[in-house]
Amino acid sequence: MAAMAEVVCELRRWCEALPKHEELGRPTVTFGQVEGGYRPYVVPDSCKLWIDMRLVQPASTKSARAAVEAAIAAAEKRVPGNHGSYEVTGDRPPIERDPASPLLAALRAAADAEGAPAEVGFFTGYTDTAVIAGTCGNHNCMSYGPGSLALAHKPNEYVPRADVLRVQRVLTRLAKDTCL
């Protein structure tokens, strides 16, 4: 556990030293789950930690791997007799706005034609957009849908029916305009 505490501290320092992105803000590192030991008075024989890193440029999976490896090496040096390893279980790139995107232009045109102009913005949360971009290697992706971020993931979350119908009309027009 002591070695894992060293890893946590090293990775926090690394993340805090990264530059802030103009729109997407600061990268984050979250230590969401820790497992180890079975009694408070027994030195644990192992410790497992799940880490979630939300990186923004110029940080990358490659630089995050290097930071994790350096943190493990430092912990092994500071707490002799310990050995660390890691596994990357996901790689989701940050998605930046692209005002020149042809897809964005087509979406705006479809929304305007349906009398529901599309608001263009960004937010620092996670969506399936990153999964699609990472899987396809195409960062010209965006999220568009009903609802309000102010209500998302809160008690009594809801999406007004009229908003769902608006998005249905816009996406139907977008599909017709771009696929036919």
Side-chain angles (χ1 to χ4, degrees), residues 3-163:
M4 190 61 79
E6 294 287 338
V7 169
V8 167
C9 291
E10 285 289 323
L11 290 176
R12 284 188 67 241
R13 282 190 287 272
W14 172 77
C15 190
E16 288 169 358
L18 292 170
K20 180 179 177 183
H21 187 278
E22 183 179 322
E23 289 186 329
L24 300 177
R26 300 205 59 80
T28 62
V29 59
T30 303
F31 307 98
Q33 186 177 354
V34 182
E35 279 183 8
Y38 63 95
R39 294 281 187 259
Y41 50 83
V42 177
V43 175
D45 62 346
S46 67
C47 183
K48 190 172 186 178
L49 172 67
W50 284 262
I51 303 170
D52 179 32
M53 291 184 180
R54 306 288 172 101
L55 303 175
V56 297
Q57 296 297 329
S60 65
T61 300
K62 182 178 179 180
S63 65
R65 283 179 182 266
V68 170
E69 290 166 7
I72 290 171
E76 288 173 346
K77 186 175 180 180
R78 287 189 193 108
V79 187
N82 287 277
H83 174 71
S85 63
Y86 72 98
E87 174 185 352
V88 175
T89 59
D91 186 2
R92 309 293 192 264
I95 306 299
E96 298 181 71
R97 282 198 299 184
D98 179 4
S101 164
L103 180 58
L104 177 58
L107 175 63
R108 281 182 150 165
D112 288 346
E114 290 299 325
E119 291 183 35
V120 178
F122 63 92
F123 71 113
T124 58
Y126 180 80
T127 70
D128 289 342
T129 302
V131 176
I132 294 165
T135 302
C136 298
N138 178 356
H139 292 221
N140 187 24
C141 295
M142 64 190 76
S143 296
Y144 177 79
S148 165
L149 289 177
L151 298 173
H153 310 299
K154 303 235 173 32
N156 303 319
E157 174 182 14
Y158 70 94
V159 176
R161 183 175 190 275
D163 207 20

